């Protein structure tokens, strides 16, 4: 994209000032949207009522994408910056005591209600100054961030990002690992690649009193589960992050005198290096099959790549930091975790940034974090997340102009 007069610092500063003024005016309405979606949460794949509510609140012509998702566009033709918000809730019974708490057994315990309301505020404000936008603004209401098949996979496969010439992706996520109201946007890896695996064991069952007449699947399951904890230590340089977690074990009926015929292990692998990822996956296969063989049973390993590494683009972060400071949003130290987010499917293809907006209060003990039934970010974070999105758009416009 050739440099545009609209992307010189003076023009962008004027746009920022006008945008923030419109944003401030619309925040009360956006906070009401937050309460409405929070009170009526919908699980992955069932976000249609949420999408309908948000489309009406944005007062923007949105197209369907990825099933229950929506995508739209503001601004000129040509390259665009995508702003993404996730719509799905979690299967939790809320315990916040808020007057707008959900009562359906589902809950926005990951802050998606804040992200959605912030995007509504940003889009409604942008509509009042659309002629001044230097590049396209593409709002994405994405379904199924919390569960497979991930919505971002369908979005990237749909061809819509190419149709809208999306050249930069911006996301924001509230997080208890960052001080309240601050934002962490460090360049480089901020979330790990996430893979899941299943080990299935098969053998001949029998009576617990006569183990020599059967095959002890239970022993193979237990030994493999313990051995998996050694895989990372024996495979990966300790200077590189890697986490392998066994989350579920099962074998046979609930009986104390039965040798089970089958067993199962479920686990997750988190890595930040592609070579480590491949090496650990191979080591899981080797350990499981050979441990099973040593116990006289058979093991089959199924590994499912879930999400790639989420990495923030260095140039985008470099442009975004001063915009955040000008908007009065304190920039925190980079936050990197072995968590995962399907926003990584965008960062794997495009210059992208995932900004973590803090919810942790100073001196707070027993911090309530994501996916906790008590998690309830304060109302003012709708405005903070909205400012982060505006900063991301302005930085994205600069990156597209530089390119």
């Amino acid at each position: 994209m050739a440099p545009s007069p609209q992307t010189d610092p003076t023009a962008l500063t004027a746009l920022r000032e006008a945008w923030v003024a419109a944003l401030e005016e619309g925040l009360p309405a956006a906070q009401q949207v937050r309460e409405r979606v929070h009170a009526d949460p919908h699980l992955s794949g069932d976000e249609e009522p949420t999408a309908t509510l948000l489309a009406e609140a944005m007062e923007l012509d949105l197209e369907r994408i990825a099933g229950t998702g929506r995508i739209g566009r503001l601004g000129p033709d040509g390259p665009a910056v995508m702003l993404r918000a996730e719509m799905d809730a979690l299967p939790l019974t809320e315990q916040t005591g808020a007057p707008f708490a959900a009562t359906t057994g589902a809950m926005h315990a990951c802050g998606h209600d804040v992200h959605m309301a912030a995007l509504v505020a940003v889009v409604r404000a942008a509509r009042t100054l659309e002629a001044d936008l230097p590049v396209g603004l593409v709002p994405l209401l994405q379904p199924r961030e919390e569960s497979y098949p991930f919505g971002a996979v369908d979005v990237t496969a749909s061809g819509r990002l190419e149709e809208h010439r999306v050249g930069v992706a911006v996301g924001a996520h509230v997080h208890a690992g960052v001080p309240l109201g601050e934002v962490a946007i460090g360049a480089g890896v901020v979330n790990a690649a996430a893979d899941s695996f299943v080990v299935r064991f098969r053998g001949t069952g029998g009576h617990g009193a006569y183990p020599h007449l059967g095959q002890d699947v239970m022993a193979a399951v237990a030994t493999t589960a313990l051995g998996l904890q050694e895989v990372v230590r024996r495979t990966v340089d300790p200077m590189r992050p890697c986490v392998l977690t066994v989350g579920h074990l099962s074998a046979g009926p609930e009986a104390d005198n039965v040798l089970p015929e089958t067993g199962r292990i479920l686990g997750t692998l988190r890595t930040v290096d592609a070579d480590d990822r491949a090496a650990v996956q191979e080591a899981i296969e080797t350990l499981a099959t050979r441990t099973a063989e040593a116990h006289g049973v058979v093991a089959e390993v199924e590994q499912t790549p879930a999400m790639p590494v989420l990495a923030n683009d260095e140039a985008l972060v470099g442009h975004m930091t001063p915009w955040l400071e000008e908007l009065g949003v304190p920039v925190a130290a980079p936050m990197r975790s072995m968590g995962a987010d399907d926003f990584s499917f965008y960062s794997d293809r495009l210059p992208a940034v995932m900004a973590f907006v803090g919810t942790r209060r100073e001196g707070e003990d027993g911090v309530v974090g994501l996916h906790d039934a008590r998690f309830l970010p304060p109302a003012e974070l709708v405005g903070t997340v909205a400012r982060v999105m505006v900063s991301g758009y302005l930085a994205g416009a600069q990156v597209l102009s530089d390119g």
Side-chain angles (χ1 to χ4, degrees):
M1 175 181 174
S4 163
Q6 289 180 296
T7 56
D8 71 46
T10 302
L12 288 179
T13 297
L15 173 61
R16 169 186 60 82
E17 292 173 354
W19 205 337
V20 171
L23 197 62
E24 287 294 329
E25 186 176 340
L27 277 180
Q31 287 165 349
Q32 290 178 2
V33 168
R34 183 269 178 109
E35 293 183 5
R36 289 178 64 191
V37 297
H38 188 97
D40 186 27
H42 295 272
L43 300 178
S44 302
D46 189 35
E47 304 96 339
E48 185 65 31
T50 302
T52 300
L53 185 159
L54 296 172
E56 292 173 354
M58 285 183 179
E59 298 180 354
L60 185 67
D61 185 20
L62 300 176
E63 300 175 345
R64 186 176 296 275
I65 190 171
T68 58
R70 300 289 191 277
I71 192 169
R73 185 180 179 107
L74 290 167
D77 294 334
V81 175
M82 181 181 76
L83 304 181
R84 173 262 212 168
E86 327 91 301
M87 295 191 295
D88 50 339
L90 290 159
L92 288 174
T93 299
E94 184 163 352
Q95 298 176 24
T96 64
F100 51 90
T103 58
T104 61
M107 179 191 174
H108 278 296
C110 202
H112 295 182
D113 53 329
V114 175
H115 310 159
M116 289 183 277
L119 184 56
V120 167
V122 169
V123 170
R124 286 176 63 91
R127 288 178 55 246
T128 68
L129 41 89
E130 185 172 3
D132 297 322
L133 296 177
V135 298
L137 188 162
V138 174
L140 172 67
L141 299 171
Q142 186 206 294
R144 288 179 281 113
E145 188 274 328
E146 296 288 359
S147 66
Y148 187 85
F150 301 110
V153 175
D154 289 346
V155 170
T156 55
S158 69
R160 296 288 184 83
L161 302 187
E162 290 78 8
E163 289 175 15
H164 286 293
R165 295 184 61 185
V166 171
V168 169
V170 176
H173 205 300
V174 295
H175 203 289
V178 180
L180 180 64
E182 298 184 19
V183 60
I185 55 164
V189 174
V190 294
N191 271 171
D195 303 307
S196 60
F197 63 89
V198 182
V199 186
R200 296 182 177 88
F201 298 82
R202 290 182 290 105
T204 301
H207 195 297
Y210 314 108
H212 60 294
L213 301 178
Q215 297 168 330
D216 200 343
V217 165
M218 181 69 77
V221 170
T223 304
T224 301
L226 292 174
L228 284 169
Q229 304 310 309
E230 285 288 300
V231 163
V232 171
R233 187 176 71 84
R234 295 176 180 273
T235 308
V236 179
D237 184 333
M239 299 304 293
R240 290 198 296 270
C242 180
V243 175
L244 190 160
T245 299
V246 172
H248 175 83
L249 302 177
S250 61
E254 293 186 14
D256 64 358
N257 61 351
V258 175
L259 297 180
E261 295 182 354
T262 61
R264 191 171 63 149
I265 294 174
L266 306 181
T268 183
L269 172 65
R270 306 297 173 100
T271 54
V272 299
D273 179 270
D275 291 339
D276 291 344
R277 189 181 195 184
V280 175
Q281 287 173 336
E282 182 180 355
I284 291 170
E285 178 101 23
T286 300
L287 176 79
T289 55
R290 292 184 181 175
T291 301
E293 183 181 357
H295 285 79
V297 301
V298 175
E300 298 175 347
V301 181
E302 178 184 345
Q303 305 202 49
T304 304
M307 300 181 210
V309 164
L310 198 169
N312 284 346
D313 181 76
E314 184 175 1
L316 189 55
V317 168
H319 283 302
M320 190 171 172
T321 299
W323 288 118
L324 288 168
E325 292 170 346
E326 289 188 26
L327 284 168
V329 180
V331 178
M335 195 205 77
R336 310 184 194 281
S337 82
M338 301 305 283
D341 189 302
D342 75 351
F343 188 82
S344 60
F345 288 101
Y346 308 127
S347 74
D348 206 37
R349 299 162 59 105
L350 301 165
V353 63
M354 169 58 75
F356 296 104
V357 179
T359 66
R360 188 183 74 242
R361 298 181 186 276
E362 185 176 353
E364 186 175 32
D365 294 326
V367 174
V368 175
L370 303 177
H371 293 213
D372 190 306
R374 299 165 295 163
F375 185 66
L376 188 71
E380 64 263 26
L381 287 192
V382 172
T384 306
V385 173
R387 288 178 176 80
V388 169
M389 290 180 174
V390 170
S391 299
Y393 171 87
L394 296 172
Q398 290 174 298
V399 167
L400 293 173
S401 179
D402 293 345

